[in-house]
Amino acid sequence: MAKNMPFVVRFQLPSGAHSFQDLVYGWTHHDVASVEGDPVILKGDGFPTYHLANVVDDYKMAVSHVLRGEEWLISTTKHLLLYQALGWHPPEYAHLPLLLNKDGSKLSKRQGDIFIQHFVQKGYLPDTLLDIITNCGSGFSGNQTGRTLPELIQQYNLQSISTHSALLDLEKLPEFSRVHLTRWIEGADTRAQLVAQLQTLLQEKFKDLIFDREYIERILVLRKGHLNILTDLLSPDYSYLWVRPAVHQEDLHGLSSEASDIGRLVVQILQNVRHDTSLDVLSKELKNHLQQLKTTKYSTSMKVLRLALSGRETGPSVAEMMLSLGVEESMIRVQKSLLS
């Protein structure tokens, strides 16, 4: 130092194996001095290494328990010896088994799709990610889908953690997501957040169109339990909700020679529909009226109406489509496709 030469500061370790009790792995022994040698605790630029910074930081913050990945298990002896050298009481340590891919391979940054931001951009809720990660590991009396953060906190038991690695099965993510998205739609405050998010996404995709918050909320409530992620509503399957489809009359009349009669009956129904009509009531009204047709089966009538309303052969029930679109928009589409 007097000669102004570059130097580092090492921590001189006592020889021999040192034992400590980990809250998950039990008693652990590691002769760090003979295996690794004296660790550097201050680098040549004067900055501390992780080992020293970690110990000082935890002590200054009065950390009582350190929970971290099992890869740090062999470093814990160094940290405990640093606590001893500094005359500080150490926290308790619990090392957690690794989170692995479904096939047992390690999660890697090179995969690209394991970053939290990737799932956020896909539309997954924080509750969903927290639930599936805790579900695939241990620390709980049993696994179940749909636990909230308060429930996880209440049920968590450190003594229940095993030393076996947890396998992350992302194929189950849509199932977990559907449960949590349904819960968010059911809650007034969380539903308002979803409406705002979807409104922003729609404005980004359909720049010249304005979507009413009440309309978006109605769609969310009607589609509750059918959506895995919020961005499902931006897929081609739901494009009819945001843009009027191009429907060819010959396609409709090809399904039924009574296509015009179907249109007239439906217009009559919609003219008498109350603004608060339920899905069940509208479904019954459609069935009662459309059974009056001479040659067209009810199921075929539904195909005609679904195509007229959405331009698609599959999708939600016709009654749900009508309630989603609203009476006025439904009448416009039926009249344009079947009666013009």
Side-chain angles (χ1 to χ4, degrees):
M1 293 175 66
K3 295 181 180 180
N4 201 28
M5 295 178 63
F7 68 93
V8 297
V9 176
R10 293 181 179 272
F11 177 46
Q12 186 176 8
L13 296 172
S15 60
H18 297 268
S19 303
F20 71 94
Q21 189 170 22
D22 186 81
L23 295 176
V24 174
Y25 284 83
W27 283 102
T28 302
H29 312 272
H30 187 56
D31 187 353
V32 66
S34 62
V35 175
E36 300 181 38
D38 296 335
V40 174
I41 57 173
L42 279 178
K43 297 181 289 185
D45 57 8
F47 279 88
T49 61
Y50 170 78
H51 300 299
L52 178 60
N54 157 68
V55 167
V56 174
D57 195 39
D58 284 353
Y59 175 76
K60 290 294 185 181
M61 292 194 298
V63 171
S64 62
H65 292 72
V66 174
L67 277 69
R68 58 189 182 185
E70 66 175 10
E71 68 269 27
W72 290 103
L73 193 60
I74 61 173
S75 296
T76 305
T77 299
K78 283 181 278 193
H79 300 161
L80 289 171
L81 289 171
L82 276 168
Y83 273 104
Q84 181 179 319
L86 293 168
W88 296 340
H89 182 72
E92 293 193 73
Y93 285 90
H95 288 82
L96 310 178
L98 296 179
L99 187 63
L100 304 176
N101 288 310
K102 183 182 177 181
D103 61 4
S105 61
K106 283 189 176 183
L107 295 176
S108 170
K109 293 179 181 178
R110 289 190 295 272
Q111 290 175 238
D113 58 357
I114 64 166
F115 290 95
I116 294 295
Q117 192 60 32
H118 166 79
F119 296 103
V120 171
Q121 290 172 349
K122 286 283 187 180
Y124 290 103
L125 297 168
D127 291 354
T128 300
L129 299 178
L130 185 61
D131 191 17
I132 193 171
I133 290 172
T134 52
N135 194 275
C136 70
S138 54
F140 302 91
S141 57
N143 288 338
Q144 64 185 69
T145 305
R147 283 184 292 212
T148 62
L149 181 56
E151 290 170 337
L152 289 168
I153 293 172
Q154 183 181 27
Q155 297 175 23
Y156 183 69
N157 182 3
L158 191 59
Q159 280 68 46
S160 298
I161 296 178
S162 72
T163 58
H164 301 293
S165 295
L167 301 181
L168 180 60
D169 186 359
L170 291 177
E171 291 180 3
K172 295 180 179 179
L173 190 57
E175 175 189 347
F176 279 80
S177 184
R178 184 168 57 254
V179 171
H180 286 281
L181 183 56
T182 297
R183 182 175 288 163
W184 272 52
I185 292 173
E186 290 173 342
D189 292 340
T190 48
R191 184 169 64 247
Q193 293 181 47
L194 293 174
V195 170
Q197 290 176 30
L198 186 54
Q199 195 171 36
T200 299
L201 292 170
L202 288 167
Q203 288 172 348
E204 290 174 356
K205 185 168 184 176
F206 306 101
K207 301 187 184 301
D208 298 328
L209 300 178
I210 298 175
F211 299 97
D212 181 73
R213 291 177 65 88
E214 185 177 331
Y215 175 64
I216 294 174
E217 184 172 12
R218 183 168 72 241
I219 289 168
L220 284 174
V221 172
L222 287 168
R223 282 281 81 195
K224 182 184 71 174
H226 298 280
L227 302 171
N228 291 331
I229 52 178
L230 190 63
T231 50
D232 282 349
L233 289 171
L234 300 180
S235 70
D237 290 343
Y238 292 105
S239 60
Y240 70 90
L241 292 169
W242 322 115
V243 179
R244 286 178 187 167
V247 181
H248 301 291
Q249 286 194 344
E250 55 267 28
D251 293 334
L252 298 169
H253 288 277
L255 289 171
S256 171
S257 59
E258 296 179 296
S260 297
D261 295 326
I262 293 172
R264 280 189 286 272
L265 286 171
V266 169
V267 168
Q268 291 176 16
I269 295 170
L270 292 174
Q271 286 173 337
N272 295 297
V273 165
R274 293 165 51 93
H275 73 279
D276 58 349
T277 297
S278 69
L279 193 60
D280 288 340
V281 170
L282 182 55
S283 296
K284 289 177 182 177
E285 284 291 311
L286 287 168
K287 192 165 189 177
N288 290 337
H289 282 74
L290 293 173
Q291 283 178 338
Q292 301 173 21
L293 295 167
K294 295 179 181 179
T295 61
T296 307
K297 293 181 179 179
Y298 175 72
S299 58
T300 302
S301 299
M302 292 296 100
K303 291 180 181 179
V304 171
L305 288 171
R306 183 176 288 108
L307 188 59
L309 291 167
S310 67
R312 302 185 65 82
E313 296 180 358
T314 59
S317 69
V318 169
E320 183 182 327
M321 283 186 174
M322 289 178 172
L323 290 183
S324 296
L325 294 168
V327 171
E328 183 178 347
E329 179 63 22
S330 296
M331 286 184 64
I332 290 173
R333 295 190 184 192
V334 169
Q335 289 172 332
K336 182 179 178 181
S337 301
L338 296 172
L339 300 177
S340 61

